[in-house]
């Protein structure tokens, strides 16, 4: 039995550890690395060093908050990818050592599968089939989830990820990193009628593209005679465009499958505006499951939860587990969206 799971997440700029016992979250510690703020984005080498310094203390703190001795941990679940290679490596090497030293089970977890499982921590009845929209700083994935661990890709982004677009537009608007929360705050005071931005690929299929939208905002920023006055309206116009595209494709996927539930996950799912808009658009069609913000932003609880699922199926990683910046999503088949003919691919 692998019932007490230590989760570890170091794929980007959060150093996080969590303890999950029998599927219940006992503790979650998230240390956000402030150092990147002065650079306006994550500096990979600094991220690795900060993980190295902080991870042992973050794990100790998670164990202490859970009131559990290290000897009572049965298994270690760690993000093995995708993410920053050096940052991932810190977590993977630590997890392997912790597991090996105590003769514990080890499971490598895909970061986006972690995001997918996040709502299941608080909503223990959540189960497939559902459509999942996973939106983070590195990925925009629309998935058909007929069962946990089985994924069909409806579509992903052709260029920037949704969160990346928020971060880049925040920079254009003179806001700090990460950009999503700052844009949402300004957008709350923005007039939706002042700026109307293009909705890329709105009427086509399930794929996304956000780089043209970013350029449209750039032109509007350049044309503005008073950025302080226009900032909330630009933020609102941009946010409305992104959310409209996301929710339109989510609805299309829900209608294509006939499923009665949709899951939102990833850092962008911290957006209250996204959750509200999705719930509104899917009213009468499907219920929308979304975790609370601390479980949507990068955290080790979601990694422990996804790992616990795989451990219960008897899956284990061996001591050759390695960090992979481009780790493919396990269990992914690509769906031909016109005919629903599965063909295999790696992400
Ligand atoms: O999943 P996550 O924490 O890290 C990655 O795996 O990338 O996602 C981070 C992304 C950032 O791009 C951030 O700007 C975005 O999530 N984000 C938001 C909001 N909160 C965070 N985007 C829009 N609205 C928000 N409220
Ligand atoms: Zn993430």
């Amino acid at each position: 039995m692998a019932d007490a799971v230590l989760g570890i997440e170091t794929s980007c700029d959060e150093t996080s550890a969590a303890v999950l016992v029998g599927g219940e979250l006992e503790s979650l510690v998230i240390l956000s690395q402030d150092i990147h703020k002065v650079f306006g984005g994550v500096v990979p080498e600094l991220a690795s060093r900060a993980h190295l310094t902080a991870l042992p203390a973050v794990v100790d703190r998670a164990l202490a908050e859970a009131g559990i001795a290290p000897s009572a941990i049965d298994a270690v679940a760690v993000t093995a990818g995708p993410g920053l290679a050096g940052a991932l490596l810190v977590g993977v090497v630590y997890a392997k050592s912790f597991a090996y030293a105590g003769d514990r089970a080890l499971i490598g977890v895909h970061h986006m599968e972690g995001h997918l499982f996040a709502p299941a921590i608080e909503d223990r009845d959540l189960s497939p089939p559902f459509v999942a929209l996973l939106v983070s700083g590195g990925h925009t994935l629309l998935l058909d989830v007929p069962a946990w661990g089985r994924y069909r890709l409806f579509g992903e982004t052709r260029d920037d990820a949704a969160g990346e677009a928020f971060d880049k537009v925040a920079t254009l608007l003179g806001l700090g990193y990460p950009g999503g929360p700052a844009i949402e705050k300004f957008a709350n005071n923005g007039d939706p009628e002042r700026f109307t931005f293009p909705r890329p690929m709105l009427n086509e299929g399930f794929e996304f593209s956000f780089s043209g939208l970013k350029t449209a905002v750039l032109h509007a920023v350049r044309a503005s005679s008073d950025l302080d006055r226009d900032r909330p309206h630009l933020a609102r116009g941009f946010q409305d465009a992104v959310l409209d595209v996301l929710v339109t494709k989510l609805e299309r996927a829900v209608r294509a499958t006939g499923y009665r539930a949709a899951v939102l996950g990833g850092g962008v799912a911290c957006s209250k505006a996204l959750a509200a808009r999705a719930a509104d658009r899917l009213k009468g069609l499907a219920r929308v499951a979304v975790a609370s913000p601390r479980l949507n932003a990068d955290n080790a609880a979601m990694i422990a939860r996804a790992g616990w699922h795989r451990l219960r199926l008897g899956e284990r990683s061996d001591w050759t587990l390695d960090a992979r910046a481009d780790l493919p999503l396990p269990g992914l088949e690509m769906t031909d969206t016109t005919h629903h003919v599965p063909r295999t691919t790696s992400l």
Side-chain angles (χ1 to χ4, degrees), residues 119-177:
I121 297 170
E122 293 167 319
D123 181 351
R124 294 198 65 166
D125 295 330
L126 178 67
S127 64
F130 52 70
V131 172
L133 176 66
L134 303 181
V135 271
S136 70
H139 293 87
T140 307
L141 294 173
L142 188 58
L143 297 173
D144 173 350
V145 183
W148 291 123
R150 279 187 53 211
Y151 311 117
R152 297 191 200 120
L153 183 65
F154 270 113
E156 57 187 322
T157 184
R158 290 189 175 178
D159 39 58
D160 294 348
E164 188 180 0
F166 272 93
D167 294 336
K168 287 179 175 169
V169 164
T171 304
L172 296 177
L173 295 178
L175 305 172
Y177 174 86

Side-chain angles (χ1 to χ4, degrees), residues 11 111-112 115 136-137 266-267 296-298 302:
S11 69
H111 182 80
M112 298 312 289
H115 279 304
S136 70
N296 273 327
D298 287 351
M302 66 185 197

Side-chain angles (χ1 to χ4, degrees), residues 73-146:
I73 294 289
D74 303 307
V76 186
V78 61
T79 308
L84 303 170
L88 288 164
L89 200 59
V90 175
V92 168
V93 169
Y94 186 96
K96 279 163 80 169
S97 315
F98 193 97
Y100 188 78
D103 198 20
R104 301 173 177 98
L106 173 72
I107 187 85
V109 173
H110 189 283
H111 182 80
M112 298 312 289
E113 188 170 56
H115 279 304
L116 179 74
F117 271 90
I121 297 170
E122 293 167 319
D123 181 351
R124 294 198 65 166
D125 295 330
L126 178 67
S127 64
F130 52 70
V131 172
L133 176 66
L134 303 181
V135 271
S136 70
H139 293 87
T140 307
L141 294 173
L142 188 58
L143 297 173
D144 173 350
V145 183

